[in-house]
């Protein structure tokens, strides 16, 4: 430890201890949420080889992951680095190890964001954590879910590191040792194309504007590596597959439909709205000519402004209707909000303290619903390990809408179908020929005939209902049909009986016969 660092620690002992305690609290809080979040969707998918003909085989080593991702690069997308990490955690190291790594990455993310505010203090750390909890898009899908966290949170950490290093490197003459920065840039760019493309475009524009100075600065290897990593990610055959495949919003999806999806997501973005409010407030406080102020503001924060603008085409044209598509806009908007706050003299710390207290209270409130959700997950795993039945029962933990953005349910409603991917993967993992997941109350109603008795009273919809016992349910080929309101859009032409679970309010029981379409055979009961 050199004298300068030792002197700084002595002079700022209280602040350093406060920051360390705040970061430790953030780490523990994040770890607890990660611990209570079950594996879901792609987390199960990446336990298996992503190789045609080998989807039923689990990965067990690092070499398995490399082999699997060599195919994933050609068949899925170009995020080979982040998906290799996902597959390592999911298939080799396990969720428990991931919980610690993800909590550490979240803590690092908060620390780096505090750097954008200028002063890293304990209050700023808790304040920023609260803002992320309240405003970041799809918190559970980008900060907790294994596959989502590595794609979004970890990419954000790499992006923040690049942006923090860039200003200092631009003012320094390039040395031969600076070419290691090319690797950092390559890793950051070769992460998530939806986040890296806007920044890569901005780097290209910056270089064109100031190419003589940047070419000989230490920033050049970093920017070149970032642009190169983004390019490698975007030109993968799997990326073109995503662009053309309808399930990813590609193919023949109409431009109007893409735009309508993008506008709908844009209306749900919170941080971008917060940025607009912050800009208007700052403009009013400074009491200057609006046009002149905006020009000066753009000149000062050109990189962030351009990154936000370059993110809009991705949002509006990608055709995917998930809120995570707007993550790039939200990330760069948040960095800009924090940069604006850097110039504000906070004479009263009460505002930050109040926001932080609200964040803490909301976190505790969220935990009260995460705990029963986790207990349901553990109960399901015990049933899977016991091999007593191929019908796995679970409780439906209904939570308020305000906390649904923070809780991942272990099993989707559609898991009542044994042909769903989640059922097939759990069956392979636990050694079943076939699995279905059913709400415990719905199953009890069927066994007790209360459900069927109610249906018989509904007149024309009660078609030849008979009692089903557990052995019959276990042997029934469960299938899922797309339901739009009260109408089934598909039909079946097989003998047997079908139980469908649509959502928390509706159960559907279908009696099916040869050559009879499903829409005339649907029977419903509302309420739990």
């Amino acid at each position: 430890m050199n004298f300068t660092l030792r002197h700084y620690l002595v002079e700022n002992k209280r602040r350093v201890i406060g920051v360390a305690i705040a970061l430790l609290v953030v780490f523990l809080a994040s770890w607890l949420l990660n611990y209570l979040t079950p594996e879901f969707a792609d987390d199960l998918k990446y336990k298996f080889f992503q190789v045609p003909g080998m989807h039923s085989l689990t990965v067990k080593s690092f070499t398995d992951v490399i082999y699997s991702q060599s195919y994933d690069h050609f068949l899925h997308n170009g995020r080979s680095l982040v998906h290799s990490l996902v597959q390592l955690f999911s298939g080799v190291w396990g969720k428990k190890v991931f919980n610690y790594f993800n909590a550490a990455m979240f803590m690092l993310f908060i620390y780096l964001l505090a750097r954008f505010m200028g002063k890293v203090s304990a209050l700023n750390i808790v304040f920023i954590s609260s803002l992320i909890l309240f405003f970041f898009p799809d918190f559970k899908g980008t900060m907790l879910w294994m596959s989502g966290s590595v794609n979004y949170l970890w990419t954000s950490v790499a992006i923040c590191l690049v942006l923090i290093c860039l200003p200092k490197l631009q003012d320094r003459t390039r040395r031969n040792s600076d070419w290691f920065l090319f690797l950092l840039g390559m890793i950051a760019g070769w992460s998530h194309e939806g986040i890296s493309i806007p920044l890569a475009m901005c780097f290209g524009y910056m270089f064109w504007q100031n190419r003589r100075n940047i070419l000989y600065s230490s920033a050049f290897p970093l920017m070149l590596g970032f642009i190169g990593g983004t390019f490698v990610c975007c030109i993968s055959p799997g990326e073109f597959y995503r662009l053309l495949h309808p399930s990813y919003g590609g193919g023949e999806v109409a431009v109007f439909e893409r735009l309508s999806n993008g506008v709908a997501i844009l209306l749900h973005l919170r941080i971008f709205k917060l940025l607009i409010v912050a800009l208007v407030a700052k403009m009013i406080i400074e009491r200057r000519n609006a046009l002149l102020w905006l020009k000066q503001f753009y000149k000062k924060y050109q990189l962030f402004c351009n990154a936000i603008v370059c993110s809009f085409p991705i949002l509006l044209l990608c055709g995917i209707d998930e809120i995570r598509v707007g993550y790039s806009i939200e990330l760069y908007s948040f960095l800009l909000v924090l940069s604006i706050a850097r110039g504000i003299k906070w004479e009263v710390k009460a505002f930050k303290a109040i926001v932080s207290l609200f964040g803490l209270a909301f976190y505790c409130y969220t935990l009260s619903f995460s705990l029963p959700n986790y207990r349901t997950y553990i109960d399901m795993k015990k049933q899977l390990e016991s091999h007593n039945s191929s019908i796995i029962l679970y409780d439906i933990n209904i939570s308020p809408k305000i906390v649904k953005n923070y809780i991942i349910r272990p099993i989707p409603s559609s898991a009542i179908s044994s042909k769903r991917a989640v059922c097939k993967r759990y069956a392979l993992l636990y050694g079943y020929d076939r699995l279905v997941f059913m709400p415990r109350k719905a199953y009890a109603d069927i066994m007790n005939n209360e459900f069927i008795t109610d249906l018989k009273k509904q007149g024309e919809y009660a078609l030849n209902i008979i009692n089903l016992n557990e052995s019959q349910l276990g042997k029934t080929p469960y299938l899922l049909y797309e339901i739009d309101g009260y109408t089934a859009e598909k039909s079946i032409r097989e003998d047997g009986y079908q139980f469908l679970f649509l959502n928390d309010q509706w159960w559907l029981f279908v009696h099916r016969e040869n050559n009879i379409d499903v829409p005339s055979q649907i029977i419903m009961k509302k309420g739990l």
Side-chain angles (χ1 to χ4, degrees):
M1 184 184 296
N2 57 47
F3 175 77
T4 305
L5 180 57
R6 184 185 297 112
H7 180 74
Y8 173 82
L9 293 175
V10 171
E11 292 292 321
N12 300 274
K13 184 177 180 180
R14 290 185 62 183
R15 185 160 74 91
V16 171
I17 293 174
V19 168
I21 293 173
L23 289 174
L24 179 61
V25 170
V26 167
F27 173 83
L28 293 175
S30 177
W31 175 86
L32 183 55
L33 277 181
N34 276 277
Y35 178 80
L36 297 175
T37 300
E39 292 179 289
F40 182 75
D42 286 0
D43 298 347
L44 299 174
K45 169 187 171 183
Y46 282 115
K47 291 181 182 293
F48 300 91
F49 279 92
Q50 302 303 300
V51 181
M54 298 179 64
H55 293 303
S56 61
L57 300 178
T58 56
V59 294
K60 297 179 180 179
S61 66
F62 180 75
T63 54
D64 287 349
V65 171
I66 298 300
Y67 180 66
S68 174
Q69 285 302 312
S70 66
Y71 278 84
D72 196 51
H73 181 81
F74 288 93
L75 299 175
H76 189 207
N77 59 35
R79 305 175 204 166
S80 303
L81 290 180
V82 292
H83 284 179
S84 294
L85 288 172
V86 173
Q87 197 152 28
L88 274 171
F89 283 114
S90 180
V92 182
W93 296 335
K95 178 69 163 59
K96 291 182 179 180
V97 175
F98 170 78
N99 293 336
Y100 290 100
F101 273 86
N102 202 50
M105 292 300 281
F106 185 79
M107 179 185 69
L108 178 58
F109 184 46
I110 298 298
Y111 172 78
L112 294 174
L113 290 175
R115 292 281 300 271
F116 283 92
M117 287 191 74
K119 183 179 180 181
V120 180
S121 66
L123 184 57
N124 279 349
I125 287 170
V126 180
F127 174 65
I128 291 172
S129 301
S130 299
L131 290 180
I132 289 178
L133 192 65
F134 287 132
F135 291 103
F136 251 63
D138 192 12
F139 185 88
K140 65 183 179 185
T142 57
M143 302 289 158
L144 299 175
W145 178 37
M146 186 189 299
S147 299
S149 295
V150 179
N151 273 275
Y152 293 93
L153 171 60
W154 295 32
T155 295
S156 300
V157 170
I159 294 288
C160 288
L161 283 171
V162 168
L163 291 174
I164 287 173
C165 294
L166 189 64
K168 294 180 180 180
L169 295 175
Q170 282 182 281
D171 298 331
R172 196 175 79 185
T173 303
R174 190 177 76 239
R175 296 171 293 192
N176 290 334
S177 58
D178 289 334
W179 280 101
F180 83 92
L181 295 169
F182 179 87
L183 180 60
L184 173 61
M186 190 80 174
I187 292 172
W190 192 2
S191 51
H192 191 299
E193 71 283 1
I195 305 174
S196 63
I197 286 177
L199 192 58
M201 294 172 66
C202 294
F203 283 169
Y205 180 66
M206 283 176 59
F207 180 77
W208 179 256
Q209 271 191 321
N210 196 20
R211 51 189 176 276
R212 289 186 178 179
N213 292 330
I214 291 178
L215 184 62
Y216 297 102
S217 73
S218 297
F220 179 68
L222 182 69
M223 295 169 66
L224 184 64
F226 191 90
I227 294 172
T230 304
F231 180 74
V232 170
C233 184
C234 292
I235 64 167
S236 74
E239 202 66 44
F240 288 99
Y241 172 80
R242 287 173 67 89
L243 289 173
L244 298 174
H245 201 279
S247 63
Y248 294 105
E252 299 179 356
V253 179
V255 174
F256 178 78
E257 186 179 343
R258 293 172 185 266
L259 289 174
S260 62
N261 283 339
V263 172
I265 294 171
L266 182 61
L267 294 175
H268 285 86
L269 299 184
R270 302 171 184 173
I271 300 177
F272 184 68
K273 296 173 186 174
L274 181 65
L275 172 62
I276 295 174
V277 172
L279 288 175
V280 173
K282 190 172 176 65
M283 192 185 304
I284 292 173
I285 291 171
E286 295 188 1
R287 297 180 181 179
R288 295 169 58 187
N289 178 274
L291 186 59
L292 179 62
W293 185 88
L294 286 173
K295 286 182 178 179
Q296 292 178 344
F297 178 84
Y298 174 74
K299 185 176 180 180
K300 184 176 182 180
Y301 300 110
Q302 187 180 62
L303 180 60
F304 293 136
C305 294
N306 289 343
I308 294 170
V309 171
C310 291
S311 298
F312 273 92
I314 297 175
L315 171 65
L316 296 174
L317 297 176
C318 72
I320 301 175
D321 58 357
E322 295 179 354
I323 193 69
R324 291 193 300 274
V325 176
Y327 186 89
S328 178
I329 294 176
E330 295 288 75
L331 174 64
Y332 296 122
S333 295
F334 195 57
L335 294 177
L336 187 52
V337 168
L338 295 179
S339 299
I340 294 171
R342 184 173 191 166
I344 297 176
K345 294 181 180 180
W346 298 90
E347 297 179 0
V348 180
K349 297 181 179 180
F351 173 72
K352 290 183 182 179
I354 290 171
V355 173
S356 300
L357 287 174
F358 270 105
L360 178 61
F362 184 73
Y363 173 83
C364 295
Y365 181 66
T366 301
L367 283 182
S368 67
F369 295 96
S370 296
L371 285 167
N373 184 68
Y374 177 72
R375 285 195 290 266
T376 296
Y377 176 59
I378 295 300
D379 177 60
M380 286 168 46
K381 290 187 73 173
K382 289 180 179 178
Q383 293 180 64
L384 287 166
E385 291 167 355
S386 69
H387 283 256
N388 291 332
S389 174
S390 60
I391 301 175
I392 306 301
L393 305 179
Y394 63 93
D395 296 313
I396 299 175
N397 302 304
I398 299 178
S399 53
K401 188 175 181 180
I402 193 173
V403 300
K404 286 187 176 180
N405 190 38
Y406 308 91
I407 299 172
I408 292 179
R409 288 174 59 175
I411 290 293
S413 302
S414 59
I416 195 65
S417 165
S418 64
K419 291 192 175 183
R420 299 294 287 186
V422 63
C423 295
K424 290 182 177 180
R425 287 167 185 155
Y426 269 120
L428 288 169
L429 285 171
Y430 288 91
Y432 288 83
D433 294 330
R434 185 178 55 81
L435 270 180
V436 290
F437 295 82
M438 183 179 291
R440 183 171 272 110
K441 190 178 189 319
Y443 180 80
D445 283 348
I446 292 176
M447 293 299 102
N448 296 328
N449 294 325
E450 296 172 6
F451 180 49
I452 295 173
T453 301
D454 263 359
L455 293 175
K456 288 180 180 180
K457 298 176 182 178
Q458 297 187 27
E460 58 180 306
Y461 291 106
L463 301 171
N464 242 356
I465 303 300
I466 65 170
N467 296 336
L468 296 176
N469 57 40
E470 184 171 355
S471 61
Q472 287 174 309
L473 277 173
K475 294 176 182 177
T476 301
Y478 288 80
L479 304 170
L480 180 72
Y481 295 90
E482 300 297 326
I483 308 296
D484 180 13
Y486 302 105
T487 307
E489 297 178 340
K490 295 183 180 179
S491 63
I492 50 178
R493 301 182 182 277
E494 298 178 23
D495 293 329
Y497 296 87
Q498 166 72 44
F499 179 86
L500 297 175
F501 178 66
L502 179 59
N503 56 34
D504 292 350
Q505 281 71 44
W506 285 98
W507 305 330
L508 304 180
F509 186 87
V510 178
H511 171 219
R512 51 188 184 157
E513 297 177 357
N514 283 336
N515 303 318
I516 295 182
D517 291 337
V518 168
S520 62
Q521 303 289 305
I522 292 182
I523 305 161
M524 295 161 284
K525 178 187 176 184
K526 188 175 182 180
L528 289 174

